[in-house]
Amino acid sequence: DVQLVESGGGSAQAGGTLTLSCVASGYTYNRQRMTWFRQAPGKEREGVVTIDQYGVTTYADFVQGRFSISKDVADPDTTLTLQMNSLKPEDTGIYYCAGSLEWQVIHSIWDSNEYAYWGQGTQVTV
């Protein structure tokens, strides 16, 4: 079974930096899309940044230029890192790591229903 385990997060001042990590275990061929979502209190979950099996990244407009995603594939696990710079109070929320099924064709990268696997979430407070 695929498992996603997040770490990092915590509190930072506006303009500060935080780093989140997500370790994905259980994937066989590393042919999945992985995405960071976040959910602020009273708001819907929204996509932050996504990376496909080829390493191609797409950032939401509201984090473009401030956040950076990287992926390290070290058999058998994959580690996803989200570097968050120039944090704003509106970045506050629970951040979730999500992974698709392997070889899955994603029709909408920001649709949370497209992702089969989820981490437990980690709190970020700015």
Coordinates of all heavy atoms in Angstrom, one line a residue, residues 33-75:
R33 N 1.7 11.4 -10.1 CA 1.7 12.8 -9.9 C 1.6 13.1 -8.4 O 0.8 12.4 -7.7 CB 0.6 13.6 -10.6 CG 0.5 15.1 -10.3 CD -0.6 15.7 -11.1 NE -0.2 15.8 -12.6 CZ 0.6 16.7 -13.1 NH1 1.1 17.7 -12.3 NH2 0.8 16.7 -14.4
M34 N 2.4 14.0 -7.9 CA 2.2 14.4 -6.5 C 2.0 15.9 -6.3 O 2.6 16.7 -7.1 CB 3.5 13.9 -5.7 CG 3.7 12.4 -5.8 SD 5.0 11.9 -4.7 CE 4.2 12.1 -3.1
T35 N 1.1 16.2 -5.4 CA 0.7 17.6 -5.3 C 0.6 18.0 -3.8 O 0.1 17.2 -3.0 CB -0.7 17.7 -6.0 OG1 -0.6 17.4 -7.4 CG2 -1.2 19.1 -5.9
W36 N 0.9 19.2 -3.6 CA 0.7 19.8 -2.2 C -0.6 20.6 -2.3 O -0.8 21.4 -3.2 CB 1.8 20.7 -1.8 CG 3.0 20.0 -1.4 CD1 4.2 19.8 -2.1 CD2 3.3 19.5 -0.1 NE1 5.1 19.1 -1.3 CE2 4.6 18.9 -0.1 CE3 2.5 19.4 1.1 CZ2 5.1 18.3 1.1 CZ3 3.1 18.8 2.2 CH2 4.4 18.2 2.2
F37 N -1.5 20.3 -1.4 CA -2.7 21.0 -1.2 C -2.7 21.7 0.1 O -1.9 21.4 1.0 CB -4.0 20.1 -1.2 CG -4.3 19.6 -2.6 CD1 -3.7 18.5 -3.1 CD2 -5.3 20.2 -3.3 CE1 -4.1 18.0 -4.3 CE2 -5.7 19.7 -4.6 CZ -5.1 18.6 -5.1
R38 N -3.5 22.7 0.3 CA -3.6 23.3 1.6 C -5.1 23.7 1.9 O -5.9 23.9 1.0 CB -2.8 24.6 1.8 CG -3.2 25.8 1.0 CD -2.2 26.9 1.1 NE -2.7 28.1 0.5 CZ -1.9 29.2 0.3 NH1 -0.7 29.2 0.7 NH2 -2.4 30.3 -0.3
Q39 N -5.4 23.8 3.2 CA -6.7 24.2 3.6 C -6.7 25.1 4.7 O -6.2 24.8 5.8 CB -7.6 22.9 3.9 CG -9.1 23.3 4.1 CD -9.9 22.0 4.1 OE1 -9.5 20.9 4.2 NE2 -11.2 22.2 3.9
A40 N -7.2 26.3 4.5 CA -7.3 27.3 5.6 C -8.6 27.2 6.3 O -9.5 26.6 5.8 CB -7.1 28.7 5.0
P41 N -8.6 27.6 7.6 CA -9.9 27.5 8.3 C -11.0 28.2 7.6 O -10.9 29.3 7.1 CB -9.6 28.2 9.6 CG -8.1 28.1 9.8 CD -7.6 28.2 8.3
G42 N -12.1 27.4 7.4 CA -13.3 27.9 6.8 C -13.2 28.0 5.3 O -14.2 28.6 4.7
K43 N -12.2 27.5 4.7 CA -12.0 27.6 3.3 C -11.9 26.2 2.7 O -11.6 25.2 3.3 CB -10.8 28.5 2.9 CG -10.9 29.9 3.3 CD -9.8 30.7 2.7 CE -10.0 32.2 3.0 NZ -8.9 33.0 2.4
E44 N -12.1 26.2 1.4 CA -12.0 24.9 0.7 C -10.5 24.5 0.5 O -9.6 25.4 0.4 CB -12.7 24.9 -0.7 CG -14.2 25.0 -0.6 CD -14.8 24.9 -1.9 OE1 -14.1 24.9 -2.9 OE2 -16.1 24.9 -2.0
R45 N -10.2 23.3 0.3 CA -8.9 22.8 0.0 C -8.5 23.3 -1.4 O -9.3 23.3 -2.3 CB -8.8 21.3 0.1 CG -7.4 20.7 0.1 CD -7.5 19.2 0.4 NE -8.0 19.0 1.7 CZ -8.0 17.8 2.3 NH1 -7.5 16.7 1.6 NH2 -8.5 17.6 3.5
E46 N -7.2 23.8 -1.5 CA -6.8 24.3 -2.8 C -5.4 23.8 -3.1 O -4.6 23.5 -2.2 CB -6.7 25.8 -2.7 CG -5.8 26.4 -1.7 CD -5.9 28.0 -1.7 OE1 -6.6 28.6 -2.4 OE2 -5.2 28.6 -0.8
G47 N -5.1 23.6 -4.4 CA -3.9 23.1 -4.8 C -2.8 24.2 -4.7 O -3.1 25.4 -5.1
V48 N -1.6 23.8 -4.3 CA -0.5 24.8 -4.2 C 0.6 24.6 -5.3 O 0.9 25.5 -6.0 CB 0.1 24.6 -2.8 CG1 1.3 25.5 -2.6 CG2 -0.9 24.9 -1.7
V49 N 1.0 23.3 -5.4 CA 2.0 23.0 -6.4 C 2.0 21.6 -6.7 O 1.7 20.8 -5.8 CB 3.5 23.5 -5.9 CG1 3.8 22.8 -4.6 CG2 4.5 23.2 -7.0
T50 N 2.3 21.2 -7.9 CA 2.2 19.8 -8.4 C 3.4 19.5 -9.2 O 4.0 20.3 -9.8 CB 0.9 19.6 -9.1 OG1 0.8 18.2 -9.4 CG2 0.9 20.4 -10.4
I51 N 3.8 18.2 -9.1 CA 4.9 17.7 -9.9 C 4.6 16.4 -10.5 O 4.0 15.5 -9.8 CB 6.2 17.6 -9.0 CG1 7.4 17.2 -9.9 CG2 6.0 16.7 -7.9 CD1 8.8 17.5 -9.2
D52 N 4.8 16.2 -11.8 CA 4.4 15.0 -12.4 C 5.6 14.0 -12.4 O 6.6 14.2 -11.9 CB 3.9 15.2 -13.8 CG 4.9 15.6 -14.8 OD1 6.1 15.6 -14.5 OD2 4.6 16.0 -16.0
Q53 N 5.3 12.8 -13.1 CA 6.3 11.8 -13.0 C 7.6 12.2 -13.7 O 8.7 11.5 -13.5 CB 5.7 10.5 -13.7 CG 5.3 10.8 -15.1 CD 4.7 9.5 -15.7 OE1 5.2 8.4 -15.7 NE2 3.5 9.7 -16.3
Y54 N 7.6 13.2 -14.6 CA 8.7 13.6 -15.3 C 9.5 14.8 -14.6 O 10.5 15.2 -15.1 CB 8.4 14.0 -16.8 CG 7.6 12.9 -17.5 CD1 6.3 13.0 -17.8 CD2 8.3 11.8 -17.9 CE1 5.6 12.0 -18.4 CE2 7.6 10.7 -18.6 CZ 6.3 10.9 -18.8 OH 5.6 9.9 -19.5
G55 N 8.9 15.2 -13.5 CA 9.5 16.3 -12.8 C 9.0 17.7 -13.3 O 9.5 18.7 -12.8
V56 N 8.0 17.7 -14.1 CA 7.4 19.0 -14.6 C 6.5 19.5 -13.5 O 5.7 18.8 -12.9 CB 6.6 18.8 -15.9 CG1 6.0 20.1 -16.3 CG2 7.5 18.2 -17.0
T57 N 6.8 20.8 -13.1 CA 6.1 21.4 -12.0 C 5.1 22.5 -12.5 O 5.3 23.1 -13.5 CB 7.1 22.1 -11.0 OG1 7.8 23.1 -11.7 CG2 8.0 21.0 -10.5
T58 N 4.0 22.6 -11.7 CA 3.0 23.7 -11.9 C 2.7 24.3 -10.6 O 2.4 23.6 -9.6 CB 1.8 23.2 -12.6 OG1 2.1 22.5 -13.8 CG2 0.8 24.3 -12.9
Y59 N 2.8 25.6 -10.5 CA 2.5 26.3 -9.3 C 1.3 27.1 -9.4 O 0.9 27.7 -10.4 CB 3.7 27.3 -9.0 CG 5.0 26.6 -8.6 CD1 5.9 26.2 -9.6 CD2 5.3 26.4 -7.3 CE1 7.1 25.6 -9.3 CE2 6.5 25.8 -7.0 CZ 7.4 25.4 -8.0 OH 8.6 24.8 -7.7
A60 N 0.5 27.2 -8.3 CA -0.6 28.1 -8.2 C -0.1 29.5 -8.2 O 1.0 29.8 -7.8 CB -1.4 27.9 -6.9
D61 N -0.9 30.4 -8.8 CA -0.4 31.8 -9.0 C -0.1 32.4 -7.7 O 0.9 33.2 -7.6 CB -1.6 32.6 -9.6 CG -1.8 32.3 -11.1 OD1 -0.8 31.6 -11.7 OD2 -2.8 32.6 -11.7
F62 N -0.8 32.1 -6.6 CA -0.5 32.8 -5.3 C 0.7 32.3 -4.6 O 1.1 32.9 -3.6 CB -1.8 32.6 -4.4 CG -2.2 31.2 -4.2 CD1 -1.5 30.3 -3.4 CD2 -3.3 30.7 -4.9 CE1 -2.0 29.0 -3.2 CE2 -3.7 29.4 -4.8 CZ -3.1 28.5 -3.9
V63 N 1.5 31.3 -5.1 CA 2.7 31.0 -4.5 C 3.9 31.1 -5.5 O 5.0 30.8 -5.2 CB 2.7 29.5 -4.0 CG1 1.7 29.4 -2.9 CG2 2.5 28.5 -5.0
Q64 N 3.6 31.4 -6.8 CA 4.6 31.5 -7.8 C 5.7 32.5 -7.4 O 5.4 33.6 -7.0 CB 3.9 32.0 -9.1 CG 4.9 32.0 -10.3 CD 5.2 30.6 -10.8 OE1 4.3 29.8 -11.0 NE2 6.5 30.4 -11.1
G65 N 6.9 32.0 -7.5 CA 8.0 32.8 -7.1 C 8.4 32.8 -5.6 O 9.4 33.3 -5.2
R66 N 7.5 32.2 -4.8 CA 7.8 32.1 -3.4 C 8.1 30.7 -2.9 O 8.9 30.4 -2.0 CB 6.6 32.7 -2.6 CG 6.3 34.2 -2.9 CD 5.3 34.7 -1.9 NE 4.0 34.1 -2.0 CZ 3.4 33.5 -0.9 NH1 4.1 33.4 0.2 NH2 2.3 32.9 -1.1
F67 N 7.3 29.7 -3.5 CA 7.4 28.3 -3.1 C 8.2 27.6 -4.1 O 8.1 27.9 -5.3 CB 6.1 27.7 -2.9 CG 5.3 28.2 -1.7 CD1 5.7 29.3 -1.0 CD2 4.1 27.5 -1.3 CE1 4.9 29.7 0.1 CE2 3.4 27.9 -0.2 CZ 3.8 29.0 0.5
S68 N 8.9 26.5 -3.7 CA 9.6 25.7 -4.6 C 9.5 24.2 -4.2 O 9.6 23.9 -3.1 CB 11.1 26.1 -4.6 OG 11.8 25.2 -5.5
I69 N 9.2 23.4 -5.2 CA 9.0 22.0 -5.0 C 10.1 21.2 -5.6 O 10.7 21.5 -6.6 CB 7.6 21.4 -5.5 CG1 7.3 20.0 -5.0 CG2 7.6 21.5 -7.1 CD1 6.0 19.5 -5.4
S70 N 10.5 20.1 -4.9 CA 11.6 19.2 -5.5 C 11.2 17.8 -5.1 O 10.5 17.6 -4.1 CB 13.0 19.6 -5.0 OG 13.0 19.5 -3.5
K71 N 11.7 16.9 -5.9 CA 11.4 15.5 -5.7 C 12.7 14.7 -5.8 O 13.5 14.9 -6.7 CB 10.4 15.0 -6.8 CG 10.0 13.5 -6.6 CD 8.9 13.2 -7.6 CE 9.3 13.1 -9.0 NZ 8.3 12.6 -9.9
D72 N 12.9 13.8 -4.8 CA 14.1 13.0 -4.7 C 13.6 11.5 -4.7 O 12.9 11.1 -3.8 CB 14.9 13.3 -3.5 CG 16.1 12.4 -3.4 OD1 16.6 11.9 -4.4 OD2 16.7 12.3 -2.3
V73 N 14.0 10.8 -5.8 CA 13.6 9.4 -5.9 C 14.7 8.6 -5.4 O 15.8 8.5 -6.1 CB 13.1 9.1 -7.3 CG1 12.7 7.6 -7.4 CG2 12.0 10.0 -7.8
A74 N 14.6 7.9 -4.3 CA 15.6 7.0 -3.8 C 14.9 5.7 -3.4 O 14.2 5.7 -2.4 CB 16.3 7.6 -2.6
D75 N 15.0 4.8 -4.3 CA 14.3 3.5 -4.1 C 14.4 3.0 -2.7 O 15.5 3.0 -2.1 CB 14.8 2.4 -5.0 CG 14.4 2.7 -6.5 OD1 13.4 3.4 -6.7 OD2 15.1 2.2 -7.4

